[in-house]
Amino acid sequence: MRYLSVKMLIMILVLTTGCILSSNANRSPSPGMSVSPNNIGRTELPSDYDTWWSIQEGKKIYVDKTKFLSLHQFQSGLNFLRRPPGFGTSMFLQMIASFYKGEKHYFNGTSVHQYGNTRSKNGSWIRYPVIHINFDSIPIQYSKNLTLREIMRDIYNRTDLMLRNIATITYEIDIPKWFETDTITLSDLISLLHGKFHLPVVILIDKYDSIIKKVRSNLDRNFTECFQADLEQFYSQIKAAHSTYEVKLALVTGVHPFDINTSELGANNIVDISWDSEFATCIGFTKDEIETTFKSEISDFAAHLKTTPDDITNQLKYWYGGYSFSEKDTLNEKNIVYNPISVLNALKKFKFDLYWVNKTANADVIAKKMNSLYYSFDELKNYRLHHSFDLNPRKRYNPIMQDEIPVPEMMLQTGYLKLVSYTYHPHSGDLVVLNYPNWEIETGLNRSLHLAAACKNP
């Protein structure tokens, strides 16, 4: 009997060990593991092309940014937020859209779920009408042979179709007959939605400057003036609707500074929160978020490279960290963010590489610009920039005339330089210090500079 008991004990230990190994393979967190509650049971990392909805429906791992939904600027008002391309602004706007559409099942396990999108004690959820526009999704590509009238007419038609689809397909609104021949404006759509739901409208505009990039080759003087006037008219409609309480929240995102208010009709009360320390980490991953959310992935990465998790964490910081979007606390570790595209790809492929630089393909363009204006790589290390158009809210920069902006500021906007410090001087002028954020940028940009030099001097 004693022999059988020992044999049975061994079998129990084997079975238990097998269950433990199986549990680890399925990424179930151990009792001592620090894992975000909303990620328990999730095992798959998202891809570059996932949306907020596909991540939630597919039960994929994600860094929880829902805490920012409780901030006043994402509850009401007119705001502008800019970040480098590929940093996750689209995902952030998708989350806000889902929140205001009242899709509470996507927010299970998050801090906002119990309060709802009304921020009330009973946690009620309201289905606000949401106008969610991504200008990058409009397939515009023009040749220089087209006339100004042809280009503008095409933009009108595509915008009209986009707004009509939101009205008729998304919200099943019967458009009045007098719109059959006339184009629908943003103001018209706001009024239609407000009239049907008797609720203020939420407006989310992603990549506002994408359409500018697509038509920039046609921007002669006449086109620039016409296009500028149309942009002003488009965004002034948001301002007008907000003043009559038809708009609850408007958030515009892009890569370049938002300034189209060259006339009294412009959107001159849209608040730029891009460099506000309160929103410094709403886009991108922080060190704490990486260590908490991806603890299992970091351990697997370390095992693959036969090193320690701390070494992987340090390498992620060296390769992909270093970004600061706060003009006050640029050296505060809590405000430093990592490039999310590169971090996710490194964790999935167990390899440190130039993921973001290769994906955005902006390095070659910037390298050519640097060469043409005789900027060297070392010259932009700890670069001191006076009278910054980008950071000083008193200075205005028109995104349409992008060629007028200095190379260092353009590199700051597109993520190839980071903000080291910003000092305000009311009389002598502002002083901004810039530097390369991480090893990915230094390596990718150096490579592109060598290629650009080789092409220039074969």
Side-chain angles (χ1 to χ4, degrees), residues 33-47:
M33 186 179 293
S34 175
V35 176
S36 180
N38 48 295
N39 273 319
I40 292 177
R42 297 175 180 239
T43 61
E44 183 182 351
L45 289 172
S47 70

Side-chain angles (χ1 to χ4, degrees), residues 140 142 151-159 211 215 227:
I140 296 176
Y142 302 117
I151 294 174
M152 296 308 300
R153 174 51 56 189
D154 187 70
I155 293 175
Y156 289 148
N157 291 339
R158 291 180 186 276
T159 305
I211 194 169
V215 301
F227 192 67

Side-chain angles (χ1 to χ4, degrees), residues 231-284:
L231 275 181
E232 288 181 1
Q233 186 180 23
F234 184 84
Y235 290 102
S236 65
Q237 293 174 43
I238 300 176
K239 172 186 172 182
H242 183 260
S243 65
T244 57
Y245 304 101
E246 291 183 335
V247 171
K248 175 180 177 61
L249 165 70
L251 177 60
V252 181
T253 70
V255 173
H256 303 290
F258 181 83
D259 183 51
I260 58 171
N261 47 312
T262 56
S263 72
E264 293 181 359
L265 295 176
N268 52 14
N269 60 343
I270 292 183
V271 179
D272 190 339
I273 60 175
S274 302
W275 294 102
D276 194 316
S277 59
E278 194 171 17
F279 315 104
T281 62
C282 67
I283 308 291

Side-chain angles (χ1 to χ4, degrees), residues 217-410:
S217 61
N218 299 83
L219 294 184
D220 56 27
R221 182 174 180 179
N222 291 333
F223 188 94
T224 299
E225 293 176 355
C226 185
F227 192 67
Q228 173 81 19
D230 284 341
L231 275 181
E232 288 181 1
Q233 186 180 23
F234 184 84
Y235 290 102
S236 65
Q237 293 174 43
I238 300 176
K239 172 186 172 182
H242 183 260
S243 65
T244 57
Y245 304 101
E246 291 183 335
V247 171
K248 175 180 177 61
L249 165 70
L251 177 60
V252 181
T253 70
V255 173
H256 303 290
F258 181 83
D259 183 51
I260 58 171
N261 47 312
T262 56
S263 72
E264 293 181 359
L265 295 176
N268 52 14
N269 60 343
I270 292 183
V271 179
D272 190 339
I273 60 175
S274 302
W275 294 102
D276 194 316
S277 59
E278 194 171 17
F279 315 104
T281 62
C282 67
I283 308 291
F285 299 159
T286 66
K287 182 176 183 289
D288 288 343
E289 287 171 339
I290 289 173
E291 292 179 340
T292 300
T293 308
F294 306 115
K295 188 167 186 177
S296 293
E297 286 69 29
I298 291 173
S299 295
D300 291 345
F301 199 171
H304 181 79
L305 296 185
K306 297 180 180 179
T307 185
T308 64
D310 286 342
D311 180 52
I312 296 298
T313 303
N314 291 333
Q315 288 290 330
L316 287 172
K317 179 180 179 180
Y318 177 71
W319 274 81
Y320 309 123
Y323 290 97
S324 175
F325 300 105
S326 168
E327 64 185 28
K328 294 181 180 179
D329 306 311
T330 55
L331 300 179
N332 187 341
E333 182 71 28
K334 292 184 177 180
N335 283 339
I336 301 300
V337 298
Y338 298 51
N339 186 313
I341 290 280
S342 297
V343 169
L344 288 173
N345 277 285
L347 292 175
K348 288 198 308 189
K349 299 177 182 179
F350 293 163
K351 181 182 178 182
F352 295 105
D353 207 343
L354 310 181
Y355 298 109
W356 181 77
V357 169
N358 288 339
K359 179 181 175 62
T360 59
N362 285 336
D364 293 341
V365 175
I366 291 175
K368 290 177 182 178
K369 194 82 171 177
M370 289 174 66
N371 274 340
S372 66
L373 296 176
Y374 303 102
Y375 280 98
S376 69
F377 179 84
D378 291 334
E379 185 181 355
L380 293 177
K381 284 187 175 181
N382 294 312
Y383 186 84
R384 297 165 70 86
L385 179 67
H386 288 275
H387 302 287
S388 171
F389 286 88
D390 182 43
L391 296 176
N392 188 340
R394 295 179 292 106
K395 300 287 180 67
R396 292 179 177 177
Y397 160 64
N398 189 324
I400 296 177
M401 307 303 293
Q402 187 183 3
D403 291 339
E404 297 178 359
I405 190 170
V407 169
E409 295 186 48
M410 180 182 71

Side-chain angles (χ1 to χ4, degrees), residues 28-91:
S28 297
S30 62
M33 186 179 293
S34 175
V35 176
S36 180
N38 48 295
N39 273 319
I40 292 177
R42 297 175 180 239
T43 61
E44 183 182 351
L45 289 172
S47 70
D48 298 349
Y49 305 102
D50 267 310
T51 65
W52 160 264
W53 295 281
S54 66
I55 287 175
Q56 303 309 319
E57 291 169 357
K59 300 295 182 183
K60 297 181 180 181
I61 299 170
Y62 73 103
V63 172
D64 186 9
K65 298 290 185 178
T66 56
K67 64 181 180 181
F68 290 99
L69 293 171
S70 62
L71 297 180
H72 174 72
Q73 281 77 1
F74 298 128
Q75 290 284 319
S76 62
L78 311 180
N79 304 287
F80 171 68
L81 176 69
R82 74 167 188 80
R83 288 295 184 266
F87 261 64
T89 52
S90 294
M91 181 78 69

Side-chain angles (χ1 to χ4, degrees), residues 116-128:
N117 60 9
T118 59
R119 302 298 298 166
S120 58
K121 291 182 179 180
N122 60 0
S124 60
W125 289 77
I126 293 177
R127 188 192 176 207
Y128 289 97

